[in-house]
């Protein structure tokens, strides 16, 4: 199946089954903004809660925050976001790097001038800065494909209070990271964290992207899951922590079922590094539209805290009780996009049968890891009579009351009901049949193997819970 075809099928499945809708669709939509339907919301919530469980609840050294979307504009002055995005910019449609339009124009002119003579061109090319080189060559290969130049600010602007004047301008945050840095002192004073420690945040971010696209891959409103991990201020510590976070971040995806061969860790070239970074790696996923960034791990040094110290005039240093020294810690940042992750999980789980596995050719199974599957278990009565619905509903309600996301379905043949659940990734289906009336047992059918087992109806909860919380068992 052609890759682009898979993308179209996923977009269509998402709409048809209630994962993702175009936002404001009845009004013709909003450019590159999406709403999540019942299943998409549940899937996204599951992803976020597994991440939070793994990196905040299960760790002694990481605490969480939930900072405001609208922050004092000085935050963006300190972070560099205000200054970097006020010039006329062009963006490459392939690598999404943005450059000052006048800088690109200048370097292009120089290139044309020296191009006639090969050796002259080489001397000239060797003499220009890495940044200038990156304007001439796309990191994705070949020439850049630039958009029109725009006087462009990536941040969405708004006004605080009733008067729309320059003194009341504010911005919607373009990343969650700064909300962590500006609370650094609050966290130090209100908790007992000691370096090394991390602060985690999950939340919305907004970017007025000039080249959005590829469904929920690049949107103007999205969610991020970020950790700022504070360490002693030296390059060795930074490098060590960075390697750890690269591994942990990759493991987050593979533990939840992404195939390792579809992931790639791509360290940034020197000229590609952001101004604040001494080392960055992207975690890329093999999307149907090409290898693209899922998340990144950056060594941000003490750049952000230093900047906030300078602009706020406040002392943000950490006091190290062991050494009696005060310093600004270095920071390593693992950052990932929730919406992109969700798309990667959908793509990776999408499986269309070729007819050789007992399913009809073309039937779709979303092989989502049970931890993130939006519905964990569906309950069916074989027929709509002879007390079977009553027993099935009782099982269904018990599962719901115990906090299990369950679904009750009594319409159509059982085969069709299985297919409907396979298509949305439900790991287990429970069927109440005539035998149940004699032996109190129900049939539990596994999505991936289609294996069926008989379980006592009072043991359904325990069976499902074990398989959903311990997915290794599910795959056996
Ligand atoms: P890209 O190069 O794709 O624009 P970026 O390098 O600007 O991404 P970061 O600033 O490092 O992205 O943001 C961290 C993460 O947030 C990204 O890895 C991605 O998962 C997510 N993200 C960033 N921009 C968007 C967007 N417009 N839509 C959806 N997710 C995004």
């Amino acid at each position: 199946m052609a890759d682009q075809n898979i993308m179209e099928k996923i977009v269509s499945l998402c709409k048809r089954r209630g994962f993702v809708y175009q936002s404001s669709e009845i009004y013709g939509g909003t450019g590159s903004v999406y709403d999540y339907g019942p299943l998409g919301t549940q899937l996204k919530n599951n992803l976020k809660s597994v991440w939070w469980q793994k990196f905040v609840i299960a760790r002694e050294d990481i605490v969480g925050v939930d900072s405001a979307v609208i922050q004092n504009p000085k935050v963006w002055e300190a972070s560099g976001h205000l200054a970097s995005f006020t010039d006329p910019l062009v963006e490459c449609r392939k690598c999404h790097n943005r450059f000052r339009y006048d800088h690109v124009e200048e370097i292009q002119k120089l290139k044309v001038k020296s191009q006639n003579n090969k050796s002259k061109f080489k001397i000239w090319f060797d003499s220009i800065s890495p940044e200038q080189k990156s304007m001439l060559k796309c990191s994705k290969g070949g020439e850049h494909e630039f958009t029109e130049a725009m006087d462009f600010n990536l941040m969405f602007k708004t006004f605080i209070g009733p008067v729309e004047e320059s003194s009341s301008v504010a911005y919607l945050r373009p990343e969650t990271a700064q909300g962590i840095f500006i609370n650094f002192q609050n966290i130090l004073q209100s908790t007992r964290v000691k370096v090394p420690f991390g602060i985690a945040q999950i939340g919305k971010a907004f970017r007025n992207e000039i080249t959005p696209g590829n469904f929920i891959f690049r949107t103007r409103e999205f969610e991020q899951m970020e950790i700022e991990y504070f360490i002693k201020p030296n390059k060795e510590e930074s490098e060590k922590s960075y390697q750890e976070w690269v591994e942990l971040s990759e493991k987050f995806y593979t533990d939840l079922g992404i195939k390792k061969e579809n992931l790639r860790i791509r360290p940034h070239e020197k000229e590609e590094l952001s101004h604040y970074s001494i080392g960055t790696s992207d975690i890329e996923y093999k999307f149907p539209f090409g290898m693209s960034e899922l998340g990144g791990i950056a060594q941000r040094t003490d750049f952000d805290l230093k900047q906030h110290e300078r602009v706020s005039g406040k002392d943000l240093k950490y006091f190290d009780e062991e050494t009696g020294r005060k310093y600004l810690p270095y920071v390593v940042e693992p950052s990932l996009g929730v919406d992109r992750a969700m798309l990667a999980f959908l793509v990776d789980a999408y499986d269309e049968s070729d007819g050789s596995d007992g399913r009809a050719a073309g039937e779709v199974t979303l092989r989502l890891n049970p931890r993130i599957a939006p519905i964990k278990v569906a309950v069916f009565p074989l027929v709509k009579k002879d007390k079977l619905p009553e027993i099935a509903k009782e099982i269904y309600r018990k599962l719901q009351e115990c906090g299990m996301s369950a679904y009750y379905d009594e319409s159509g043949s059982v085969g069709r009901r299985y297919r409907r659940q396979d298509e949305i990734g439900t790991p287990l289906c429970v069927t109440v049949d005539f035998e149940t009336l004699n032996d109190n047992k129900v049939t539990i059918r596994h999505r991936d193997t289609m294996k069926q087992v008989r379980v006592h109806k009072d043991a359904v909860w325990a069976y499902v819970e074990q398989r959903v919380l311990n997915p290794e068992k599910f795959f056996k």
Side-chain angles (χ1 to χ4, degrees):
M1 193 178 2
D3 278 354
Q4 207 45 43
N5 206 352
I6 294 182
M7 207 49 209
E8 278 163 27
K9 287 183 177 182
I10 286 173
V11 173
S12 143
L13 172 79
C14 280
K15 165 136 204 234
R16 193 162 38 80
R17 299 304 309 270
F19 282 91
V20 184
Y21 312 123
Q22 171 73 61
S23 186
S24 317
E25 197 174 0
I26 58 166
Y27 292 105
T30 318
S32 279
V33 183
Y34 291 90
D35 292 341
Y36 288 85
L39 295 180
T41 307
Q42 195 59 51
L43 173 54
K44 209 148 76 103
N45 282 346
N46 293 346
L47 261 177
K48 291 188 281 186
S49 93
V50 173
W51 187 87
W52 196 260
Q53 167 68 37
K54 208 174 180 96
F55 295 120
V56 183
I57 312 265
R59 291 189 57 135
E60 281 174 38
D61 58 342
I62 303 186
V63 294
V65 289
D66 185 7
S67 70
V69 163
I70 298 172
Q71 298 165 9
N72 189 307
K74 291 252 175 213
V75 172
W76 311 113
E77 183 190 322
S79 69
H81 283 87
L82 262 179
S84 325
F85 295 112
T86 49
D87 291 310
L89 298 182
V90 285
E91 181 173 311
C92 172
R93 292 191 172 88
K94 291 192 295 179
C95 67
H96 299 293
N97 278 317
R98 300 185 191 93
F99 302 97
R100 289 259 302 263
Y101 174 61
D102 49 347
H103 290 178
V104 173
E105 234 190 0
E106 199 180 285
I107 200 81
Q108 295 280 14
K109 267 191 211 148
L110 292 172
K111 181 184 164 189
V112 172
K113 248 187 177 176
S114 54
Q115 232 168 2
N116 298 335
N117 182 321
K118 251 191 179 169
S119 61
K120 232 172 139 188
F121 177 76
K122 190 178 175 313
I123 295 167
W124 171 75
F125 191 76
D126 288 343
S127 73
I128 63 177
S129 72
E131 221 227 331
Q132 287 170 316
K133 283 196 180 101
S134 70
M135 288 177 198
L136 294 171
K137 264 190 182 165
C138 176
S139 58
K140 297 266 163 168
E143 303 266 320
H144 288 294
E145 285 176 20
F146 285 125
T147 56
E148 292 282 295
M150 279 175 255
D151 206 0
F152 183 72
N153 195 310
L154 181 80
M155 290 192 289
F156 280 97
K157 218 184 231 181
T158 186
F159 298 91
I160 295 181
V163 188
E164 294 193 5
E165 57 185 20
S166 57
S167 62
S168 61
V169 166
Y171 302 91
L172 305 189
R173 66 178 177 201
E175 61 175 29
T176 53
Q178 297 307 321
I180 295 178
F181 293 119
I182 57 172
N183 279 297
F184 181 69
Q185 272 302 335
N186 285 335
I187 300 279
L188 286 185
Q189 283 158 12
S190 56
T191 72
R192 292 184 178 170
V193 287
K194 289 200 169 39
V195 167
F197 73 92
I199 307 177
Q201 170 156 233
I202 300 180
K204 290 255 180 174
F206 303 82
R207 294 183 190 179
N208 198 359
E209 299 275 6
I210 44 177
T211 55
N214 283 326
F215 194 39
I216 52 171
F217 177 81
R218 186 182 301 284
T219 54
R220 295 195 162 104
E221 177 175 341
F222 55 97
E223 271 185 288
Q224 291 184 314
M225 306 199 272
E226 297 194 302
I227 298 168
E228 301 304 328
Y229 198 76
F230 299 94
I231 49 178
K232 288 198 169 132
N234 65 66
K235 283 193 177 169
E236 293 75 51
E237 286 287 323
S238 178
E239 188 60 33
K240 197 174 106 213
S241 174
Y242 167 66
Q243 294 302 343
E244 273 168 22
W245 280 108
V246 169
E247 264 172 47
L248 284 172
S249 305
E250 187 187 35
K251 198 165 169 322
F252 172 74
Y253 299 108
T254 52
D255 278 355
L256 282 180
I258 295 255
K259 295 170 204 86
K260 202 170 160 72
E261 66 266 25
N262 289 339
L263 289 173
R264 178 173 79 181
I265 312 280
R266 192 182 66 80
H268 282 201
E269 300 290 339
K270 262 218 167 77
E271 52 272 23
E272 212 187 326
L273 290 176
S274 314
H275 54 288
Y276 53 73
S277 175
I278 54 167
T280 296
S281 281
D282 285 346
I283 300 197
E284 297 184 331
Y285 178 74
K286 199 171 159 201
F287 283 101
F289 43 84
M291 211 69 194
S292 308
E293 177 180 333
L294 256 189
I297 298 91
Q299 301 187 62
R300 293 178 83 120
T301 66
D302 56 1
F303 173 83
D304 302 270
L305 288 177
K306 214 185 233 163
Q307 284 293 99
H308 287 301
E309 247 197 357
R310 190 180 60 76
V311 176
S312 69
K314 301 268 163 28
D315 178 2
L316 298 182
K317 290 186 189 63
Y318 169 82
F319 177 68
D320 192 326
E321 283 167 11
E322 268 175 36
T323 60
R325 241 176 18 105
K326 272 182 96 180
Y327 56 77
L328 286 179
Y330 271 21
V331 73
V332 171
E333 175 196 78
S335 164
L336 66 99
V338 183
D339 315 72
R340 276 187 198 183
M342 175 165 150
L343 183 59
F345 279 106
L346 286 171
V347 169
D348 220 71
Y350 188 88
D351 183 22
E352 218 175 85
S353 173
D354 59 5
S356 64
D357 60 351
R359 291 175 160 92
E363 270 176 27
V364 171
T365 305
L366 267 191
R367 297 187 188 275
L368 290 170
N369 182 292
R371 291 286 297 270
I372 56 169
I375 309 263
K376 311 297 185 200
V377 53
V379 187
F380 317 144
L382 182 67
V383 289
K384 277 194 260 181
K385 56 180 187 183
D386 296 331
K387 292 242 157 52
L388 302 190
E390 282 82 348
I391 301 171
K393 271 193 186 147
E394 203 187 308
I395 296 172
Y396 162 66
R397 289 214 183 91
K398 191 164 166 216
L399 287 162
Q400 278 192 313
E401 278 163 18
C402 294
M404 190 66 69
S405 158
Y407 188 79
Y408 177 80
D409 190 2
E410 57 179 26
S411 73
S413 71
V414 169
R416 277 192 64 188
R417 284 181 254 169
Y418 282 152
R419 283 201 291 284
R420 283 203 287 263
Q421 295 305 318
D422 286 348
E423 197 188 36
I424 58 168
T426 307
L428 299 167
C429 292
V430 175
T431 304
V432 174
D433 54 27
F434 292 111
E435 279 291 291
T436 313
L437 299 174
N438 300 324
D439 63 3
N440 278 323
K441 287 186 175 167
V442 295
T443 301
I444 301 189
R445 181 254 198 191
H446 285 232
R447 176 195 71 201
D448 289 351
T449 54
M450 297 195 292
K451 181 181 86 179
Q452 302 198 354
V453 289
R454 294 286 289 176
V455 171
H456 193 280
K457 69 182 172 64
D458 296 337
V460 169
W461 153 254
Y463 186 93
V464 175
E465 196 223 13
Q466 270 191 8
R467 265 99 198 144
V468 168
L469 297 182
N470 299 311
E472 312 80 60
K473 281 209 172 141
F474 173 77
F475 291 112
K476 280 206 175 118

